[in-house]
Amino acid sequence: MRVPFDGKVWSGRSDDGEPGDTRRIFNQVVPFGGAAQRGDIFRGAPCIESDASVIVGFGSDEGVRRNQGRIGAAHAPKELRRVLAGLPAKTSMASLADAGDVVCDDGDLEGAQAELANVVSDVLASGGRPLVFGGGHEVAWGTYSGFRLHQDRVDGARADAVAAAARKLLIINFDAHFDLRQKRPANSGTPFDQIANDCAERGVPFNYTCFGISDLGNTASLFAHAEELGVRYVLDVDMQEPQLPQRLDDLQQLLDSADDVYLTIDLDVLPAATAPGVSAPAALGAPLSVVEAMVQRVRASGKLRAADIAEYNPSLDQDKRTARAAARLAYRLL
């Protein structure tokens, strides 16, 4: 089900009367009107700039429920918008649009993911860059499917479709878990196995790197499956602040070899003290400073095409610590 843009969520403190630039994020947001919005006025809304971020909500608990996790992430998109709204806008920021939410409230996860894919594809067709707020990590299959749907539509309209199809997609996941479960029906633990299967069907590489893996959060079977699929991963013990320079070097090598990047952030990669409001809080985790620095490197590459932030559960949060961490990461992607 689609829920349209709700401008009432985008509100906050006004510093009118103070000298200088006092704008905040909520002052920058316009409703997203679809692919026709690029470079023109659409339904009375200001046009979005090329490469501007477009927020899409994915209100889903179904994947977490199927994966026997703690539900509540379906309410995350609205809460994340509220926290992001009050952060200061910068003159270097492009415009920001909001495409509303895709909601899964009837158990039809596959239908909701397909609808999310359509929205993501539409955002990409407009020249925008989708930033999806989940929801459980089942959001990843929807975001990825939207990127592929857009690519298929572009390829179908181009004479050099073979060359376009040869573009190398790098999938970067910040996560304590591989999310490579092979059990079906699909759930919040299966999206990257689904993506691996899709890559195999397309005859393209499954180019997947996961930063922050917990050796206590993944079974031997999952590690073996990751090895079979050629997954690159870095354990949480190697994602601490002293290792950040090496991690940035590793990341840069990956970015240099890619044409397009899909970035997905599961908030359970962060320590439980930073992100208590997730389905599976991390005993160790990767510090926010490390994840943030790496996210900024991805954004600076100019190759980021789509991103999502998953697993925020407002019902489990304390003092909005998780929401603030998520909003900080989202801010770095704008």
Side-chain angles (χ1 to χ4, degrees), residues 192-251:
F192 300 102
D193 185 64
Q194 294 173 265
I195 292 172
N197 290 337
D198 182 74
C199 288
E201 291 174 4
R202 292 171 176 272
V204 298
F206 177 52
N207 191 16
Y208 174 46
T209 299
C210 194
F211 291 102
I213 287 293
S214 169
D215 65 337
L216 302 181
N218 299 268
T219 63
S221 172
L222 287 167
F223 274 98
H225 191 41
E227 295 288 346
E228 291 168 1
L229 294 172
V231 175
R232 293 177 295 267
Y233 63 89
V234 178
L235 295 175
D236 52 7
V237 295
D238 297 316
M239 285 284 291
Q240 304 306 304
E241 289 183 343
Q243 290 99 14
L244 177 57
Q246 182 60 54
R247 296 290 79 81
L248 288 173
D249 287 345
D250 296 341
L251 177 60

Side-chain angles (χ1 to χ4, degrees), residues 38-296:
R38 182 177 181 178
D40 200 352
I41 303 300
F42 187 84
R43 295 178 184 172
C47 64
I48 63 169
E49 303 169 23
S50 179
D51 197 41
S53 294
V54 179
I55 289 175
V56 184
F58 185 65
S60 171
D61 272 325
E62 181 60 21
V64 175
R65 186 191 66 78
R66 294 182 187 182
N67 201 26
Q68 304 175 50
R70 300 188 295 175
I71 63 172
H75 303 290
K78 183 174 290 187
E79 295 304 317
L80 289 180
R81 286 180 175 97
R82 286 190 174 119
V83 177
L84 182 62
L87 299 182
K90 303 293 186 182
T91 55
S92 60
M93 285 182 176
S95 61
L96 175 63
D98 188 334
D101 292 345
V102 174
V103 176
C104 179
D105 58 3
D106 58 0
D108 183 11
L109 175 59
E110 291 72 19
Q113 288 169 319
E115 183 62 25
L116 175 60
N118 283 323
V119 178
V120 168
S121 177
D122 196 25
V123 170
L124 289 167
S126 77
R129 185 168 18 85
L131 174 55
V132 186
F133 290 164
H137 214 172
E138 63 266 27
V139 67
W141 174 244
T143 304
Y144 166 84
S145 297
F147 173 82
R148 288 301 191 196
L149 179 60
H150 171 66
Q151 185 181 55
D152 290 346
R153 288 170 174 170
V154 171
D155 289 354
R158 291 174 55 168
D160 58 342
V162 174
R167 293 179 63 85
K168 187 175 182 181
L169 173 66
L170 170 63
I171 302 167
I172 297 176
N173 182 23
F174 288 94
D175 201 335
H177 309 96
F178 286 116
D179 289 344
L180 286 169
R181 296 183 183 277
Q182 301 174 69
K183 183 180 179 180
R184 300 295 187 268
N187 57 59
S188 62
T190 65
F192 300 102
D193 185 64
Q194 294 173 265
I195 292 172
N197 290 337
D198 182 74
C199 288
E201 291 174 4
R202 292 171 176 272
V204 298
F206 177 52
N207 191 16
Y208 174 46
T209 299
C210 194
F211 291 102
I213 287 293
S214 169
D215 65 337
L216 302 181
N218 299 268
T219 63
S221 172
L222 287 167
F223 274 98
H225 191 41
E227 295 288 346
E228 291 168 1
L229 294 172
V231 175
R232 293 177 295 267
Y233 63 89
V234 178
L235 295 175
D236 52 7
V237 295
D238 297 316
M239 285 284 291
Q240 304 306 304
E241 289 183 343
Q243 290 99 14
L244 177 57
Q246 182 60 54
R247 296 290 79 81
L248 288 173
D249 287 345
D250 296 341
L251 177 60
Q252 190 61 55
Q253 291 182 33
L254 294 170
L255 293 170
D256 288 344
S257 65
D259 298 303
D260 303 305
V261 177
Y262 160 44
L263 171 67
T264 179
I265 304 170
D266 187 325
L267 293 168
D268 70 19
V269 74
L270 299 171
T274 303
V278 295
S279 181
L284 178 62
L288 177 59
S289 59
V290 172
V291 175
E292 182 177 4
M294 296 180 72
V295 165
Q296 287 180 288

